[in-house]
Amino acid sequence: MQAKDSNPPDGGYGWVVVVSAFMVMGLTVAVLKTFGLFFVEIQKHFDGLASTTSWITSVTIAIFHLGAPVASSLCVRYTHRAVVITGGLLAFSGMALGFFGFNMVWMYVTTGFLQGLGISFSWTPAISIVSHYFSKKRALANAIASAGECVFAFTFGPFFQWLISQYGWKGALLIIGGIQLNICIGGALMRPLANSWFLEAHHSETQTPPSKNASGTDKEDKSPIMHKTFNWMLLKRSEFVLYAIFGILAAMSFFVPPLFLVPFSYSLGIDESWTASLLSILAMMDFAGRLLCGWYANLHVTKSIHLLAMTITLISTSLMLLPLASNYVSLAIFTGFYGFFFGTTVAIHITVLADVVGMPEFDSALGLFMLIRSSGGFVGPPLAGLIVDMAGDYRAGFYMAGATLILSTGFLVTLDQLQQRKERGSQTSTKPEKSTLSYPSLHLLKHK
């Protein structure tokens, strides 16, 4: 019975978990993606600069990333279900308290810090538990779960715009917070697996045998996983460091376009109802990009890191072209291109991380990668906002994002060259071994 329970079911109740994760993805990251609709309203209310207002999103993104390793550790100590429910309550609290809108600092703490922590505590366990329930169908299950982010974002754009027009930005925040309470329902459906098979899987990956305490029993079973979650030794590996730098630069860019897309469209004189549809186009093309790139990557026609470098280059190109838009049609076309190539990048960048560090270190690397990447998400939006304030034009923010992505591509190319050099060195070192091993066989043939 133990052996049976130690394997992921690859179906059954796992599909309920996938649907729950789908809902959690939509109620967390999709809300963050469409928060740009509140940007102009909040900026007008507090009569602030673009750089000052963008700190709300910046804090949310930073806490979302910083909280990921903590959320992973809490899942081990408690359960994925408990952490997701806690995240839902935190997300609701952030939006509900943001309703009062006393000042900009209050917004940083509520819709920034609390919302970011809620997203992190909901998103991280939801992604993790799907992988625990599936093995052979893991790629399909993860694709379905992550699609919730795109599907919800597609509907949230016009819906949030309607809420703002009917109830004001404060009332809209309160209603959205109430909707986010459904994260708790999704979390409640994430039933822990019997006998916690994933603890055994993680234990098998560690080299240190479990130590005994005074009573002769094993110490805390969760300590090996917590140690791997914060495995700082990865920073000694040049391949991981190069990929982490790429992650920082990419995070500086990725959250800028959705933030400034709405105010940029207003500056072009586009009607509010049409502006909200841009976010829907962005979400729809993002979804298409994920599916297509995921399918293509599984064919193994192109090396993953080469595919990632290609998609990043195409994203930067689309961001450089987007400011050239002068009306709704041209802006919708460039937005669609950006959304599609962004989706392709999301579909492949975690796979590249796994290729860089190897599966035994993947869980640890993912937590550390998100922790490091948080600095880019924290700095990017305010820096773009500062550039917009200095230039007096929202186009400057898109140019900054595109240029940063071009710079990040250089680190991917360097990483690829380093990997190829090590592969060539490994192949060269194995050749003498083959000739040595063949010598005894030849010697025996001569004696015969």
Side-chain angles (χ1 to χ4, degrees):
M1 187 69 180
Q2 179 77 9
K4 181 180 179 180
D5 289 336
S6 65
N7 295 317
D10 254 323
Y13 193 81
W15 293 115
V16 177
V17 174
V18 169
V19 173
S20 302
F22 178 94
M23 181 168 66
V24 171
M25 295 298 105
L27 295 174
T28 53
V29 183
V31 172
L32 178 59
K33 278 187 170 183
T34 50
F35 196 77
L37 289 167
F38 291 87
F39 184 90
V40 174
E41 301 295 331
I42 295 175
Q43 185 180 9
K44 286 181 180 178
H45 180 83
F46 293 108
D47 193 24
L49 298 171
S51 56
T52 306
T53 309
S54 63
W55 274 107
I56 299 174
T57 302
S58 181
V59 171
T60 307
I61 295 167
I63 298 303
F64 167 37
H65 287 84
L66 288 169
V70 179
S72 297
S73 297
L74 290 175
C75 288
V76 176
R77 184 170 295 277
Y78 303 103
T79 62
H80 294 78
R81 170 187 282 170
V83 179
V84 172
I85 292 175
T86 302
L89 294 174
L90 286 169
F92 161 74
S93 300
M95 287 296 196
L97 291 173
F99 164 79
F100 295 101
F102 295 128
N103 50 51
M104 195 64 81
V105 175
W106 178 263
M107 301 305 296
Y108 296 157
V109 174
T110 56
T111 56
F113 180 84
L114 285 178
Q115 178 70 197
L117 196 62
I119 291 175
S120 185
F121 278 29
S122 304
W123 183 89
T124 308
I127 283 291
S128 176
I129 196 169
V130 170
S131 295
H132 292 320
Y133 262 92
F134 290 86
S135 178
K136 295 178 181 179
K137 301 177 182 177
R138 184 173 296 163
L140 175 62
N142 279 323
I144 295 173
S146 66
E149 171 187 331
C150 305
V151 173
F152 275 70
F154 179 79
T155 57
F156 277 173
F159 177 57
F160 286 3
Q161 186 65 64
W162 180 81
L163 287 178
I164 293 172
S165 64
Q166 294 295 314
Y167 304 101
W169 68 269
K170 290 185 177 181
L173 286 181
L174 184 61
I175 294 171
I176 293 169
I179 294 172
Q180 285 185 303
L181 280 174
N182 287 289
I183 294 172
C184 299
I185 298 176
L189 293 172
M190 294 178 181
R191 187 171 65 195
L193 281 168
N195 293 331
S196 196
W197 70 271
F198 65 95
L199 285 177
E200 299 174 16
H202 279 81
H203 274 298
S204 65
E205 292 175 1
T206 57
Q207 301 297 322
T208 306
S211 55
K212 305 282 184 177
N213 58 21
S215 62
T217 59
D218 292 344
K219 284 185 178 179
E220 185 71 54
D221 283 345
K222 307 171 187 68
S223 58
I225 303 180
M226 295 185 71
H227 171 70
K228 289 178 72 61
T229 302
F230 295 94
N231 184 8
W232 298 100
M233 297 301 291
L234 284 166
L235 293 176
K236 292 186 176 182
R237 297 175 57 176
S238 54
E239 295 97 328
F240 178 79
V241 172
L242 286 170
Y243 198 68
I245 296 173
F246 155 75
I248 293 172
L249 294 172
M252 286 180 63
S253 307
F254 283 162
F255 297 99
V256 171
L259 183 63
F260 292 124
L261 183 61
V262 172
F264 175 56
S265 67
Y266 287 163
S267 69
L268 295 178
I270 299 173
D271 186 74
E272 290 183 359
S273 58
W274 287 104
T275 297
S277 68
L278 291 173
L279 296 177
S280 297
I281 293 172
L282 184 65
M284 180 175 63
M285 296 305 293
D286 180 358
F287 179 63
R290 293 184 194 216
L291 291 181
L292 183 61
C293 188
W295 167 79
Y296 181 77
N298 284 334
L299 298 178
H300 303 289
V301 175
T302 306
K303 192 176 178 181
S304 296
I305 192 169
H306 294 167
L307 185 59
L308 179 60
M310 188 188 308
T311 61
I312 291 293
T313 302
L314 291 170
I315 289 179
S316 60
T317 302
S318 64
L319 285 176
M320 290 297 189
L321 292 174
L322 191 145
L324 301 178
S326 57
N327 51 47
Y328 174 80
V329 175
S330 58
L331 185 57
I333 292 172
F334 289 131
T335 298
F337 278 124
Y338 167 75
F340 180 82
F341 295 129
F342 177 81
T344 60
T345 301
V346 171
I348 196 67
H349 81 288
I350 295 299
T351 302
V352 175
L353 176 62
D355 293 340
V356 169
V357 300
M359 283 310 299
E361 294 290 346
F362 175 69
D363 286 340
S364 175
L366 180 59
L368 187 57
F369 177 73
M370 291 196 65
L371 185 67
I372 296 172
R373 195 177 71 169
S374 65
S375 60
F378 186 69
V379 173
L383 178 60
L386 179 62
I387 294 174
V388 167
D389 289 334
M390 293 174 62
D393 192 337
Y394 287 108
R395 291 178 175 86
F398 295 100
Y399 288 133
M400 169 264 176
T404 307
L405 280 176
I406 292 174
L407 180 61
S408 73
T409 310
F411 289 91
L412 288 179
V413 173
T414 304
L415 171 59
D416 180 49
Q417 291 177 346
L418 178 61
Q419 287 181 320
Q420 289 184 19
R421 188 161 55 247
K422 287 191 174 183
E423 287 174 3
R424 287 194 295 267
S426 176
Q427 290 172 0
T428 303
S429 62
T430 56
K431 287 181 181 179
E433 286 185 26
K434 291 180 180 178
S435 60
T436 303
L437 289 172
S438 63
Y439 176 76
S441 301
L442 292 172
H443 183 70
L444 288 173
L445 286 173
K446 287 180 181 179
H447 279 280
K448 286 183 179 179

